[in-house]
Amino acid sequence: MHPLAILGAATGKLAHYTVSGVVGALIIKNLPAAKPAARKALISGLAGGIVASRWLAEATEEARLKAGDMLAEARSSLGEEVPPPSAVKVENHDHGHEH
């Protein structure tokens, strides 16, 4: 996997967990004493967090695909054969069970 794809995936997960943790802490801290308006604001915040995490996931996937395209283009410019994206190497597939 390309380093940019790994970085993008890690960044997306970190942002997701950060938003989820902050919103979760706010809910646990404020929910019992929350009035209807505060509850509505918390629910809106959760909905915004869900939308943001989906956007981050899409942006991460787009970055991963673009990085893969650039890597394939670089390999083909060197005259190397570019493996298809779904190609999986299974030469040393020994991890403790039989197939």
Side-chain angles (χ1 to χ4, degrees):
M1 185 176 258
H2 195 271
L4 289 177
I6 295 170
L7 180 63
T11 303
K13 286 182 181 182
L14 179 63
H16 170 76
Y17 291 135
T18 302
V19 170
S20 298
V22 169
V23 172
L26 288 173
I27 290 172
I28 290 172
K29 186 177 181 181
N30 297 323
L31 192 59
K35 295 181 181 176
R39 181 182 172 96
K40 188 174 181 178
L42 286 172
I43 291 172
S44 295
L46 280 173
I50 291 169
V51 170
S53 68
R54 288 178 183 165
W55 179 83
L56 283 171
E58 289 175 11
T60 301
E61 180 66 12
E62 186 177 339
R64 185 189 68 80
L65 290 172
K66 285 182 181 181
D69 288 345
M70 289 188 290
L71 183 61
E73 187 176 339
R75 284 184 175 174
S76 66
S77 72
L78 293 173
E80 296 179 7
E81 184 177 336
V82 180
S86 62
V88 178
K89 294 180 183 179
V90 291
E91 288 125 16
N92 296 324
H93 186 70
D94 184 25
H95 55 258
H97 68 268
E98 294 181 23
H99 286 261

